[in-house]
Amino acid sequence: GRGFDRTEPGGQYNLDMEAPIERAIFVDLLRLVREGKGVFLSFPEPTLDEEMDGNPEPYWVEAPEGDNEDEWDVPKRGIMEFHFGSRRVAEEAKEVVPMSDMEMLVSVLKDKDKNERERVNAIRSFCEGDRLLYFDQVLEIFEIVKSDKPTGALTSSSGDLSKSDETNPSTPGSESAGTPGISKKRPLFRKDRRVERVELVRQCFLRVVESERAPELLDFLSHQERILVGKKLGVIAVSFTKNNPT
């Protein structure tokens, strides 16, 4: 872990609101919101365990109004957990994944000779370190692994993205005898690529340059997939990245 740095505020927070220093961190985050430099993310949902009995309740963080900080809504007790997105990182273009690496990942995900584990590992390698991605870059990758029955329309800054042209992985001449539609070369290739979708959103949620748009990634997942991502987000929150100070 590391101490709070308002120049790199993005990430997961767990604050004891009775502790003056930790309450001051929350107030500083409210200042960043007011300055347009950050945003409290709606997913995972912020919670406040006011009684500190292990039963946190959903908590809506009010955006500060006015310059009088004494009038801002700041809890005086309880444990507050939330994710905060930094807008400052949008200026750090040098840290954004280069197009050459994007093309390499896209190539692996489209390669039907690669199995699920290889594709998931490719996503993890692509997102390692302090790398950041633009929202549209994530959507470009998501187009390859999206469900046959999408839950939402993928929309980039340039408009609706076209549907993936991925076809049935089985090809004439590659089917097992007596078992139509099963490829001898790739018997474990799955058209519904749930594991890859969950891993992609999990890895990219805190790495999107336009951090306020990160929750939109969840709109493209099924209910079950969102639950899986919610559980897995805690895994990446223990490692420091530019969007994660803990």
Side-chain angles (χ1 to χ4, degrees):
R2 55 171 291 171
F4 175 69
D5 181 353
R6 80 182 320 266
T7 66
E8 295 178 351
Q12 180 182 7
Y13 288 81
N14 185 308
L15 302 179
D16 180 352
M17 300 306 288
E18 288 189 14
I21 293 179
E22 298 192 27
R23 191 164 62 248
I25 289 175
F26 181 77
V27 172
D28 211 5
L29 292 175
L30 289 176
R31 293 190 189 110
L32 289 173
V33 171
R34 185 153 176 75
E35 295 166 9
K37 297 178 181 178
V39 60
F40 287 91
L41 302 181
S42 59
F43 185 92
E45 187 175 39
T47 62
L48 176 64
D49 186 356
E50 194 168 9
E51 302 300 325
M52 301 179 70
D53 58 1
N55 295 304
E57 297 287 339
Y59 184 84
W60 177 258
V61 181
E62 295 285 347
E65 296 183 2
D67 296 325
N68 188 351
E69 297 184 1
D70 292 335
E71 296 180 355
W72 291 358
D73 185 13
V74 179
K76 300 297 190 295
R77 57 180 294 183
I79 302 297
M80 180 177 286
E81 294 190 29
F82 57 88
H83 282 71
F84 191 82
S86 169
R87 289 175 173 165
R88 183 196 62 82
V89 295
E91 301 171 359
E92 301 179 2
K94 65 180 182 297
E95 296 173 357
V96 175
V97 173
M99 285 305 299
S100 58
D101 288 4
M102 273 284 296
E103 293 169 358
M104 184 176 299
L105 176 62
V106 168
S107 175
V108 171
L109 295 180
K110 285 185 174 180
D111 187 347
K112 296 188 173 86
D113 289 332
K114 301 291 185 183
N115 61 37
E116 185 177 85
R117 176 176 293 181
E118 290 173 314
R119 296 193 297 270
V120 168
N121 286 338
I123 292 172
R124 291 173 179 167
S125 297
F126 175 74
C127 294
E128 66 183 357
D130 287 345
R131 296 182 134 189
L132 303 173
L133 296 96
Y134 288 112
F135 189 81
D136 283 1
Q137 286 181 307
V138 181
L139 292 192
E140 181 180 340
I141 302 169
F142 201 94
E143 271 293 295
I144 303 170
V145 300
K146 71 177 184 180
S147 170
D148 290 336
K149 298 179 180 179
T151 58
L154 300 179
T155 305
S156 71
S157 57
S158 58
D160 290 344
L161 297 178
S162 60
K163 292 183 178 179
S164 170
D165 58 2
E166 181 181 357
T167 57
N168 191 309
S170 300
T171 55
S174 65
E175 297 174 354
S176 302
T179 314
I182 302 299
S183 168
K184 288 181 180 179
K185 194 172 186 181
R186 295 173 295 94
L188 297 180
F189 186 90
R190 300 177 181 176
K191 187 153 187 178
D192 186 356
R193 302 165 74 168
R194 169 182 294 183
V195 174
E196 293 163 72
R197 287 196 296 276
V198 169
E199 187 65 25
L200 179 62
V201 175
R202 171 206 164 191
Q203 291 286 351
C204 295
F205 193 85
L206 294 179
R207 300 177 187 275
V208 176
V209 171
E210 309 94 320
S211 54
E212 70 279 6
R213 297 197 66 184
E216 293 180 35
L217 297 175
L218 301 169
D219 294 340
F220 311 137
L221 302 176
S222 68
H223 177 68
Q224 249 183 338
E225 290 166 353
R226 291 181 197 178
I227 292 175
L228 289 173
V229 169
K231 291 179 178 178
K232 289 175 176 287
L233 272 175
V235 176
I236 60 172
V238 299
S239 302
F240 172 73
T241 69
K242 287 293 183 182
N243 273 10
N244 183 18
T246 57

